[in-house]
Amino acid sequence: MPLTFTLDPAVTPALRDGILDLWTDVSNAGGSVGFVPPVTREDVRPELVKHMVAMAEGRTRLLTGHDGTGRVAATAFLTSNTHRLMGHWLWLYTVMVHPEHQGRGHGRDLLAAAADAARSFDGIEAVRLTCRGGLGLERFYASCGYKEVGRVPGAIRVAPGDDRDDVTMLLPLL
């Protein structure tokens, strides 16, 4: 069953809790979304609050994907670039699909919905994101049209002795 995507959904307690559950579940499944398992909802909550503050300030927009039961199954945060010389592209952060929904094309659908949303913003010509190397994420993003444009070896320390590359990817929208 396909996911239903919504840009800028109403932020309700149910949505907030759904994103918190999603982020916790994705992290605990080994997803590359800013944490290393195990994590709890309380570990994740401060990062979600930061995203929500940026949304309230108008710097970030939320894209959600709901499954057929109405549960939050995917998210991506589209964040404006505030540098006056870089306002023609935006950042894509915290791209997540619930582990139960992975392997069904929902990640591709989420990225396509994010690109469509970005195209609807005035003056946006590209989407930029970073991902953790060593997980094959670069190949996945490349298969969705993103190009690797930078790599910092060993910039992400997952654990002592386990450093990963920080990979920057770009999707031109024009």
Side-chain angles (χ1 to χ4, degrees):
M1 172 173 264
L3 300 182
T4 301
F5 293 100
T6 306
L7 179 65
D8 301 325
V11 178
T12 63
L15 179 70
R16 180 200 62 224
D17 290 346
I19 295 170
L20 192 57
D21 289 339
L22 171 66
W23 203 338
T24 302
D25 291 346
V26 168
S27 296
N28 284 326
S32 175
V33 288
F35 296 94
V36 177
V39 296
T40 66
R41 289 170 48 112
E42 293 314 308
D43 296 325
V44 173
R45 186 179 308 278
E47 290 302 312
L48 178 56
V49 168
K50 289 178 188 176
H51 281 49
M52 296 279 180
V53 167
M55 288 168 52
E57 294 174 348
R59 296 180 290 119
T60 294
R61 301 191 53 190
L62 172 63
L63 177 67
T64 58
H66 287 81
D67 65 15
T69 69
R71 190 174 99 181
V72 177
T75 62
F77 292 86
L78 297 97
T79 300
S80 300
N81 194 328
T82 58
H83 191 286
R84 67 185 165 279
L85 302 178
M86 297 182 194
H88 58 289
W89 58 269
L90 59 75
W91 285 103
L92 190 61
Y93 289 116
T94 320
V95 176
M96 300 184 284
V97 173
H98 195 279
E100 292 176 1
H101 293 281
Q102 291 178 4
R104 300 179 190 166
H106 296 316
R108 289 182 189 289
D109 294 342
L110 175 61
L111 290 174
D116 288 344
R119 284 184 186 95
S120 75
F121 303 163
D122 286 339
I124 297 300
E125 300 173 9
V127 176
R128 207 165 144 182
L129 61 81
T130 63
C131 63
R132 183 185 304 168
L135 300 172
L137 296 170
E138 313 93 310
R139 289 187 304 278
F140 169 70
Y141 288 118
S143 74
C144 294
Y146 285 78
K147 292 189 266 184
E148 183 176 327
V149 294
R151 180 180 291 260
V152 181
I156 301 170
R157 179 152 295 156
V158 176
D162 187 1
D163 294 347
R164 308 286 177 87
D165 295 353
D166 183 18
V167 182
T168 302
M169 309 286 294
L170 182 75
L171 176 69
L173 297 174
L174 301 177

